[in-house]
Each structure stands twice: as structure tokens, then as C-alpha cells.
């Protein structure tokens, strides 16, 4: 349940001693009690409390602003976003707990996701000679982060951009399972060690172990292949946690860019689990808490029993984009000459209860204005309004626009070569149900909202039989709905929690999806050029690099022959296409290529 500041302060136990990332600092005596030995003369043992705050999946959000709509961010739950609001919450916690009794960490996916982060990676890149400091580095430095794990999206812009961002941060980027491909040694710092001073007895040593996602090897293959490898979280945690304990860590926290569900979106392409945080807690003894990331879900507190020790490990995942701040509250007791964790609890604070920190607003006001001006540049004119609102269940012109641009781009690239005569098909997904192209002038932000990811374009060779398998796999997205029963679009999609971005419509063929039938036997009347698709026929599929690399575990495409690949983002390809055409006319590209049916009767 979201907490406002009043209820948060009321529930929080005042802790009072001092903490520092390095070195020693003063302490407030109220944080501990008891004599130097912790026992004797009937006195209770001494105790110490501290708090670790955590964020994750910030995705380039500094301000409570949506650059795609050019207005303040809002959603149906009235969440707010951004580090400026997180900064206010952090200050409140530090004031209540004592600055030196707190740490602040992050679980990754920091430098991709908004046009603010895109601008400083591509338009005015931080890697340029005398280039700017990344806004996320500026904000996180000012707020005072102590450590951050690497997310998979950190690698989207290539390793040079990531290394420059790392250099600009005043805190370490951690990735114990991001290894140099040749030496198999850590390519980033595996952990950070933080010393918290207590009023009596020795300092508390808190280790933060950073783990990132093995899927990077698939999703950003072009950027990391031959340079880095990403083994499983469990095996690397099992290697590092004992080392941290042997180094004197009293508390071990894992910051893991990995969800807790135990599932993977890349199938059997890697022998590792994508969302492995709960498995790490269960399999690796010696961990006290895990800050969870990657899954974009909210988990205030989730306890997992370690199989070997029976000890409860506390997991917490704050909601994405700075919508929540996790608090891990640790209570330690001095026993047998050392500090032991007696209790751990977790909760989340809602950033919509906080005002933006004016210090962060002033710090990055100029960068914000530059990006707002950039995204509002006009790139063309549309003859009709288009929206993605119904795109998850209808073939909509706005999704056809993406596929048409991709198909045209691939056709031009293959022209004059041995595959020029093959038909070019194109896949596209509905990334956002709120994207739209207005009638009249179209801006960069409106085109960019169609494609918020930094995916690039490839061409892969598929057979008709493989194409049908691909479409059957995609059609799992729909909940089986018997003929004649009412259809509720709110309950029709996302079967088995498949996200919208893992439902592909294919442009260039016609087909029906019979949602009355079970998954795996839904594709009906698959045709090309008015004739049934020959299972042996060859097609070129224009496909994004995420899908081509195995993202979503779609069949065949990852192993299919690559005919061509481009390094420019699909988003930019769409923008450049619109600029070259001047006019976006749906009549030139829109068609109803697919539809949902039940026993041959259209659903819509």
C-alpha cells in the first residue's frame, strides 16, 4: 500500500547512528544500547539499525514529464515518475533515519527509455570530445547514490557510451556476472563495500553485490558479442557471497537486475534464467536482502526461505521509472563479538506523495528544455489521425506504418542482390496503447512514441512453414474465447502474462487468428498475394534486432539466415522516412491483413 510522508514517518523507527560509504564518521549514541561486550550485568545486547533505499528501472526519467506527449506524466493510477521526486523522498528518509544510517542503491536500466536519455546518447552524445555529462549521472550524483547494478538496457547504445556514463558517475556500476569474454574476469566492479559506524563495537560492513541479466548476450548481441559474456546470477552469487562474508561483510545485499518469477523470455537459447532473483535467494546462503529489478512490477516485501539455511531473505522491487522507493530496514544485534542481522523488513514509498526536489530541477533545467525543443520539431504532415488504442486486437494503420517503413527499407537494401525478387514481410508490435499520430503536423516526439525502444532493423530468411509457426507462437497472446460468448477487450489479450511487445503482427500476408481454438492451432487462411502460403516458399522478414536475436523466444527467426542488418534505430528510420515523404497518407500503406475470428466469424 502506498505510504504518504506522514504514515511513513509514523511507522519508521528512528535509528540514530552514522553511516559512511568509506572511512569512519561520527555516530549518534541512540542507535545502540548495552555495554561493550553486549552482555553481562543483566544489560540487554547492543543493537544498531540502518536503512537501505533502492530504486530500479529508472529508464532515463529525471522529471515527472512525458516527452512523448509533451506534458506532465500521469497514468490511470496517478503515479508520478523521476529522480527529482525520488530525491525528495530520499531526503525525508535521511532526515528521519540520520544520513549516516542510510545507503542508496539502484538495480539497473538507467540510461535508456526517455527522449532525455536518448538525446545525450545520440543527438548530443556524452562520448563526444568535451561532451556533456549525462543527466542521469548528474542527478544520481547530486542525490548521492552509493552503488548501482547494471541493467540490460545499459548496453543498448554500445559499450563506449556505457563506459563514459560509468566514468561520469560518482558511484560504482556493479555487475559480478558481466565478464570479459577473453579473460572471464569481471568487466565491471562486482561489488561495493560500505562501512557504517556505530556508537560502540566495530563498524558494520555492508556489501552490495551487483548482478545483471544474462539476456544481454541475446538482446544486445551486436554490442557485446566477443567482448563480454553474462553467466547466470545464481552461479555468480554462489561465487561472490562467500567471498564477501570472508572479507568481513556483516550484511550482504544483492542488487539484481532480474525479476523474481523464475521465467525467461529467451527460451532455451541460454542456459540461464532471466528472472532469477528468488532463485538466488533460495539457492545461495548468506544473503540478507535483494533489491529486484527488470520486471517492472511492484513488490513491497517478498520473503524467500534459503534451502540450505532456512533463513528468510527479503526481496523488494520498487515500481519502474522512479514511481516507488524501496526501504529495507535492518536491525542488527551484537553477539559473540560480531554484528548479526536480527530482522529485515521492506516497504515502498510512492513518489506521487512528494514534490520535485528544486535542487534537481535547477540542476537539469537546461537539458530538459533542449530535449523538449528537439522532440517538438515537425517532420511531416499526416492526412489522417491514427492511434494504437485498438492495435492489440485489430490491424490498425498506425502499426502498418511501422511495418511499411521497415519493409520499404529492407527492399531498398536488398535491391540488385540475389534476394531482391523475394517477397518482403515485416513484423511490428504495439509498444504503447496510447501512441498516436495526429491529422496535420507530426513531430519527432509523436513518431518516436510509436517506437520507444532503441531497436535496429534486420532482414532474415524464413520459409512459409516457419512463418506459420512464428504466427502461431505470436497468437498465444490471446485468451481462448469460445464462439458466441461475449468478448471483453480488457480480458482478451496478454494471456499467460505475455506483454504487448511480445505480440507480433506480420505485414505483407493475410491471415486470421481463430481465438476459439487452443494456442498452437489458431492461424487460418494464411495467404500471400491471394494464394495460400506454400510451406516451402521463401520470404524475407523485416524484423527488429531484439526479435532476431531471440527476444521473446519466437521460433526460427534467431537461427534464420541474416540477409542484411542496419545500425540505425528503427525509430530514426521512421522519422527519416516521414521527412523524405513530407506527407504520411494511410491510404498508401494501410490494409486489413489480419483479423481475429471465431469459427470463421470476425470478432470485430
Amino acid at each position: 500500500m502506498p505510504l504518504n510522508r506522514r504514515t511513513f514517518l509514523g511507522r519508521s523507527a528512528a535509528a540514530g547512528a552514522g553511516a559512511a560509504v568509506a572511512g569512519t564518521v561520527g555516530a549518534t549514541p541512540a542507535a545502540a544500547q548495552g555495554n561493550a561486550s553486549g552482555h553481562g550485568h543483566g544489560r540487554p545486547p547492543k543493537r544498531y539499525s540502518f536503512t537501505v533505499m533502492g530504486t530500479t528501472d529508472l529508464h532515463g526519467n529525471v522529471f515527472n514529464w512525458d516527452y512523448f506527449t509533451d506534458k506532465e506524466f500521469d497514468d490511470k493510477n496517478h503515479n508520478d515518475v523521476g529522480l527529482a521526486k525520488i530525491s525528495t523522498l530520499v531526503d525525508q528518509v535521511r532526515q528521519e533515519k540520520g544520513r549516516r544510517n542510510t545507503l542508496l542503491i539502484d538495480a539497473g536500466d538507467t540510461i535508456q527509455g526517455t527522449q532525455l536519455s536518448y538525446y545525450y546518447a545520440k543527438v548530443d552524445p556524452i562520448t563526444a570530445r568535451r561532451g556533456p555529462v549525462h543527466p542521469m549521472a548528474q542527478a544520481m550524483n547530486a542525490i548521492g547514490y552509493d552503488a548501482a547494478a547494471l541493467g540490460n538496457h545499459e548496453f543498448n547504445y554500445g559499450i563506449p557510451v556505457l563506459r563514459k556514463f560509468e566514468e561520469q558517475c560518482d558511484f560504482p556500476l556493479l555487475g559480478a556476472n558481466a565478464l570479459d569474454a577473453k579473460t572471464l574476469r569481471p568487466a565491471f566492479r562486482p561489488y561495493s563495500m560500505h562501512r557504517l559506524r556505530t556508537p560502540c563495537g566495530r563498524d558494520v560492513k555492508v556489501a552490495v553485490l551487483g548482478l545483471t541479466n544474462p539476456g544481454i548476450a541475446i538482446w544486445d548481441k551486436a554490442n557485446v558479442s566477443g567482448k563480454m559474456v553474462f553467466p547466470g546470477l545464481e552461479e555468480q552469487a554462489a561465487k561472490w557471497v562467500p567471498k564477501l562474508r570472508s572479507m568481513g561483510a556483516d550484511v550482504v545485499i544483492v542488487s539484481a537486475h532480474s525479476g523474481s518469477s523464475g521465467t525467461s523470455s529467451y527460451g532455451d537459447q541460454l542456459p540461464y534464467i532471466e528472472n532469477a532473483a528468488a532463485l538466488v535467494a533460495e539457492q545461495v546462503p548468506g544473503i540478507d536482502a535483494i533489491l529486484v529489478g527488470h520486471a517492472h512490477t511492484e513488490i513491497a516485501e517478498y520473503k524467500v526461505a534459503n534451502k540450505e539455511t532456512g533463513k528468510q531473505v527479503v526481496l523488494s522491487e520498487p515500481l519502474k521509472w522512479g514511481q516507488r522507493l524501496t526501504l529495507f530496514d535492518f536491525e542488527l544485534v551484537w553477539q559473540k563479538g560480531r554484528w548479526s542481522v536480527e530482522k529485515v523488513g521492506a516497504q515502498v514509498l510512492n513518489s506521487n506523495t512528494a514534490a520535485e526536489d528544486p535542487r534537481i530541477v535547477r540542476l537539469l533545467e537546461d537539458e530538459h528544455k533542449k530535449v523538449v525543443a528537439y522532440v517538438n520539431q515537425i517532420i511531416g504532415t499526416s492526412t489522417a489521425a491514427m492511434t494504437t488504442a485498438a492495435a492489440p486486437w485489430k490491424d490498425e494503420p498506425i502499426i502498418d506504418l511501422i511495418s511499411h517503413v521497415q519493409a520499404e527499407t529492407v527492399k531498398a537494401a536488398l535491391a540488385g542482390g540475389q534476394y531482391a525478387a523475394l517477397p518482403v514481410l515485416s513484423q511490428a508490435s504495439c509498444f504503447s496503447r496510447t501512441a498516436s499520430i495526429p491529422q496535420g503536423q507530426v513531430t519527432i516526439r509523436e513518431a518516436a512514441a510509436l517506437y520507444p525502444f532503441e531497436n535496429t532493423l534486420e532482414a532474415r530468411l524464413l520459409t512459409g512453414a516457419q512463418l506459420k509457426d512464428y504466427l502461431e507462437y505470436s497468437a498465444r497472446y490471446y485468451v481462448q474465447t469460445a464462439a458466441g460468448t461475449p468478448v471483453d477487450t480488457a480480458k482478451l489479450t496478454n494471456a499467460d502474462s505475455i506483454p504487448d511487445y511480445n505480440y507480433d503482427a506480420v505485414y505483407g500476408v493475410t491471415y486470421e487468428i481463430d481465438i476459439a481454438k487452443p494456442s498452437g492451432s489458431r492461424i487460418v487462411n494464411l495467404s500471400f498475394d491471394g494464394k495460400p502460403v506454400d510451406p516451402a516458399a521463401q520470404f524475407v522478414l523485416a524484423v527488429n534486432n531484439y526479435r532476431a536475436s531471440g527476444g521473446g523466444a519466437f521460433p526460427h527467426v534467431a537461427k534464420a539466415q541474416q540477409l542484411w542488418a542496419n545500425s540505425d534505430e528503427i525509430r530514426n528510420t521512421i522519422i527519416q522516412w516521414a521527412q523524405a515523404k513530407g506527407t504520411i497518407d494511410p491510404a498508401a500503406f494501410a490494409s486489413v491483413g489480419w483479423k481475429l475470428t471465431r469459427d470463421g466469424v470476425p470478432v470485430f
Side-chain angles (χ1 to χ4, degrees), residues 96-161:
E96 173 67 14
K97 305 284 187 177
R99 169 72 186 247
R100 295 170 177 177
N101 299 320
T102 66
L103 296 172
L104 175 59
I105 64 176
D106 183 81
D109 275 6
T110 305
I111 60 171
Q112 177 278 337
T114 64
Q115 287 294 284
L116 179 71
S117 53
Y118 176 80
Y119 186 90
Y120 287 98
K122 290 287 190 175
V123 182
D124 185 11
I126 60 174
T127 49
R129 187 170 178 267
R130 297 180 181 176
V133 177
H134 199 289
M136 294 301 286
Q138 291 192 59
M140 294 173 82
N141 289 343
I143 295 168
Y145 273 78
D146 295 297
L150 293 164
N152 52 284
H153 284 287
E154 261 64 84
F155 294 84
N156 285 174
Y157 298 117
I159 292 173
V161 170

Side-chain angles (χ1 to χ4, degrees), residues 213-276:
N213 207 288
I216 296 165
I218 290 175
W219 305 322
D220 267 302
K221 184 178 180 180
N223 290 328
V224 301
S225 183
K227 300 174 184 175
M228 293 185 192
V229 294
F230 302 87
L233 284 82
E234 305 100 307
E235 69 173 68
Q236 292 301 303
K239 172 183 175 180
W240 283 101
V241 171
K243 289 185 179 181
L244 296 174
R245 290 293 184 183
S246 70
M247 292 164 61
D250 301 295
V251 180
V252 173
I253 301 166
V254 174
S255 184
H257 193 76
S258 180
S260 60
S261 65
T263 60
S264 287
S265 67
Y266 41 68
D268 59 0
Q269 296 169 83
L270 288 176
Y272 313 117
I273 299 296
E274 176 183 349
N275 295 302

Side-chain angles (χ1 to χ4, degrees), residues 299-311:
I299 303 172
E301 182 182 66
Y302 174 39
K303 294 184 178 181
V304 176
N306 182 267
K307 283 186 174 180
E308 183 175 323
T309 65
K311 177 184 171 182

